[in-house]
Amino acid sequence: MTEDDRILAVDVCGTLYDTNTTAGLVTFHHARRGNRWRFNMLKALTRRRSLLRLALILIAKVSRFDAHRALVLASLRGETRSSLQASATRYVSDHLPAHAIPATHARLAQMRAAGWQPVLVSNALAPVVEEIARQLDVPCLASQPKARDGRLTGRLSRDLTGQKRSAVEAFLNRPLERVQFAVITDNRSDCDLVAAANPAVLVAPHKPRRWMRNLDAEILCH
């Protein structure tokens, strides 16, 4: 990519799809593989009135540690990367389209037609982001699951949480100030990308979130 390229960073969860793709993929994977107790655990974590889910939300607010995500990742311990990738292929093809946010996909297509080069940049697990990127025919940056002797450890070897800007700049091999840069996201944690972007598009369900109103950005409600 050259300095004349127009780079569009696009988030995935809550932006292109109204779902947590990491939790969705891992839950689907355990169902496909017949890992019954792991599947049941993850279903309990996502049940709205579950005391466990409420406890994890409280832990995250108090400690800023995403215990839900950690448990989802830990449930993959012992699984192979190839089996998870196979699950990602089926999950993205058969289940994810129902969660697509049409307004965001339309804006992505519009900007792409205008010459912007999309790059998916997500905290979600690489297998699901890579499969989405493959179907969209775009590059991607995502959190990488750690493996040892061909088996997943239940942890990450690379976590993009809070590291998206540095990841994008490493991918481009230059600071964002030296490229034409745009972003589409729903994440407050992406404010450093929003600050460098022109244009910046913030995605919100129903109405803008309070933190979005103070930023110089377009707000796309769905």
Side-chain angles (χ1 to χ4, degrees), residues 129-206:
V129 178
E130 288 168 356
E131 182 60 26
I132 295 168
R134 187 188 69 79
Q135 293 197 8
L136 293 175
D137 192 25
V138 298
C140 68
L141 302 169
S143 297
Q144 292 287 344
K146 187 175 182 179
R148 184 181 297 116
D149 298 327
R151 299 279 176 176
L152 300 177
T153 66
R155 297 186 178 185
L156 297 174
S157 61
R158 184 191 191 194
D159 188 356
L160 253 61
T161 303
Q163 305 296 321
K164 286 187 179 180
R165 177 161 182 163
S166 60
V168 172
E169 291 181 330
F171 173 74
L172 298 174
N173 198 30
R174 62 181 63 89
L176 294 185
E177 291 79 6
R178 291 179 56 191
V179 298
Q180 296 183 68
F181 179 71
V183 66
I184 305 176
T185 185
D186 74 307
N187 293 326
R188 188 174 187 174
S189 59
D190 290 343
C191 284
D192 56 346
L193 293 179
V194 173
N198 184 23
V201 180
L202 301 179
V203 180
H206 309 304

